[in-house]
C-alpha cells in the first residue's frame, strides 16, 4: 500500500498538542483513503518529520496542510526532505476544488441559521504576510472565486499580519455575519488573534471552523492522495 504524510506547521512554543491534533486529523483522512496509508508530522516538532520519512518507502508523497504555496512549502519543507526522493503535492489552499467545497459549506451554515445569503456578510480571516504578497494573493483570489459561486451582501478579507486587519474588515457588518478562518489548522492565530480582532469590531455573527475542518475537506484530501498514486 502506498503511503502519504500530511505535514502542517505546528506550534513551536508547544509542539505536542498540535502534533496530536494533526495525528487525529490524519487518522480521519486515513479512514477515507482506502488505498493509501496516511501519516502525519509537524515542522515545529524537532525531528518528527525526519523520523516519519525515514520509516516509509521512497515513493511516499507529502501533502502540505497549508493555505498558500509560500516559504514553508517551497523552501522549509524541501530543505527538511533533503536528498530523500519524496514528492510534494500542492497545498490545500491551492486546490482548484476548494472554492466549490467551501461555498457548499457556507450555504449549509446559512441554511442552518435560516439566513438569506444576499443579506449576509462574510469575513475571511487570513494570515497574510509583511514580506510576501503571495499569501494575500491566494486568499483574495479565493474570495473572488467565492463571489462567483454565491451572492452575499459582502465578502471582506482581513489579515493578521498585514492591512486591512480582521477588525477593520469586520467593522460594521450585519447581524447575519459569518467569519471563515482561512487557515488549514487551528493554532495560535485562530485561537487567539482572530477572536481578539473580532472582539475589537464587536462582531455579531458566528465563527466557522478553519478551512481544514470543514466537512468536505478531509474527503477531498483523501481523494487527492489516492489520485496522486493513480496518476503517478
Amino acid at each position: 500500500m502506498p503511503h502519504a504524510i500530511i505535514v502542517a506547521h505546528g506550534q513551536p512554543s508547544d509542539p505536542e498538542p498540535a502534533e496530536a491534533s494533526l495525528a487525529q486529523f490524519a487518522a480521519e483522512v486515513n479512514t477515507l483513503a482506502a488505498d493509501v496509508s496516511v501519516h502525519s508530522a509537524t515542522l515545529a516538532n524537532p525531528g518528527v518529520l525526519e523520523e516519519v520519512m525515514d520509516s516509509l518507502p521512497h515513493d511516499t508523497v507529502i501533502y502540505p496542510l497549508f493555505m498558500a504555496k509560500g516559504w514553508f512549502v517551497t523552501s522549509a519543507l524541501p530543505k527538511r526532505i533533503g536528498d530523500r526522493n519524496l514528492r510534494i503535492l500542492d497545498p490545500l489552499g491551492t486546490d482548484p476544488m476548494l472554492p466549490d467545497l467551501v461555498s457548499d459549506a457556507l450555504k449549509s451554515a446559512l441554511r442552518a441559521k435560516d439566513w438569506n445569503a444576499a443579506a449576509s456578510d462574510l469575513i475571511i480571516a487570513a494570515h497574510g504576510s509583511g514580506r510576501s504578497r503571495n499569501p494575500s494573493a491566494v486568499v483574495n483570489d479565493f474570495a473572488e472565486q467565492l463571489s462567483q459561486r454565491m451572492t452575499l451582501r459582502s465578502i471582506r478579507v482581513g489579515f493578521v499580519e498585514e492591512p486591512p486587519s480582521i477588525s477593520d474588515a469586520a467593522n460594521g457588518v450585519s447581524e447575519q455575519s459569518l467569519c471563515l478562518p482561512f487557515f488549514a489548522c487551528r493554532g495560535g492565530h485562530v485561537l487567539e488573534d482572530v477572536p481578539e480582532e473580532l472582539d475589537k469590531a464587536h462582531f455579531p455573527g458566528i465563527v466557522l471552523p478553519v478551512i481544514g475542518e470543514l466537512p468536505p475537506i478531509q474527503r477531498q484530501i483523501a481523494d487527492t492522495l489516492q489520485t496522486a498514486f493513480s496518476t503517478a
Side-chain angles (χ1 to χ4, degrees), residues 9-229:
H9 181 265
Q11 189 71 28
S13 61
D14 188 16
E16 292 303 333
E19 195 73 49
S21 178
L22 183 62
Q24 178 60 39
F25 182 91
E28 292 166 1
V29 174
N30 188 63
T31 64
L32 300 171
D35 301 321
V36 181
S37 180
V38 184
H39 310 260
S40 66
T42 67
L43 295 176
N45 204 353
V48 171
L49 176 58
E50 288 76 8
E51 182 179 346
V52 174
M53 289 189 296
D54 288 342
S55 71
L56 298 175
H58 70 277
D59 61 346
T60 296
V61 301
I62 291 183
Y63 183 90
L65 198 60
F66 288 83
M67 296 309 298
K69 201 167 186 176
W71 182 82
F72 283 108
V73 175
T74 62
S75 182
L77 186 52
K79 184 176 180 180
R80 294 283 292 273
I81 292 173
D83 59 3
R84 300 174 183 87
N85 187 28
L86 304 184
R87 184 160 50 111
I88 302 175
L89 304 180
D90 288 333
L92 172 62
T94 64
D95 190 319
M97 287 296 296
L98 200 61
D100 287 326
L101 296 172
V102 173
S103 65
D104 288 346
L106 291 173
K107 291 171 186 175
S108 294
L110 290 167
R111 285 194 298 268
K113 298 291 288 185
D114 197 25
W115 286 352
N116 183 344
S120 303
D121 296 301
L122 174 65
I123 310 303
I124 302 178
H127 189 282
S129 171
R131 299 183 298 274
S132 170
R133 298 278 60 82
N134 184 52
S136 60
V138 169
V139 68
N140 285 324
D141 178 69
F142 174 80
E144 174 61 26
Q145 293 290 325
L146 277 185
S147 73
Q148 297 173 15
R149 288 161 172 79
M150 56 191 306
T151 301
L152 291 154
R153 180 174 178 263
S154 72
I155 299 178
R156 311 177 183 195
V157 179
F159 301 98
V160 172
E161 292 198 353
E162 65 178 275
S165 67
I166 295 166
S167 58
D168 286 342
N171 188 42
V173 296
S174 68
E175 293 290 324
Q176 294 185 190
S177 299
L178 304 173
C179 176
L180 175 67
F182 194 77
F183 292 83
C185 310
R186 275 179 294 165
H189 291 309
V190 174
L191 298 175
E192 299 171 9
D193 296 326
V194 172
E196 287 176 4
E197 287 292 298
L198 293 176
D199 285 346
K200 286 181 188 177
H202 305 290
F203 177 71
I206 61 172
V207 181
L208 298 171
V210 296
I211 296 280
E213 294 180 3
L214 293 174
I217 298 303
Q218 289 180 348
R219 165 60 67 185
Q220 177 64 14
I221 294 173
D223 290 346
T224 298
L225 295 179
Q226 294 187 129
T227 300
F229 287 102

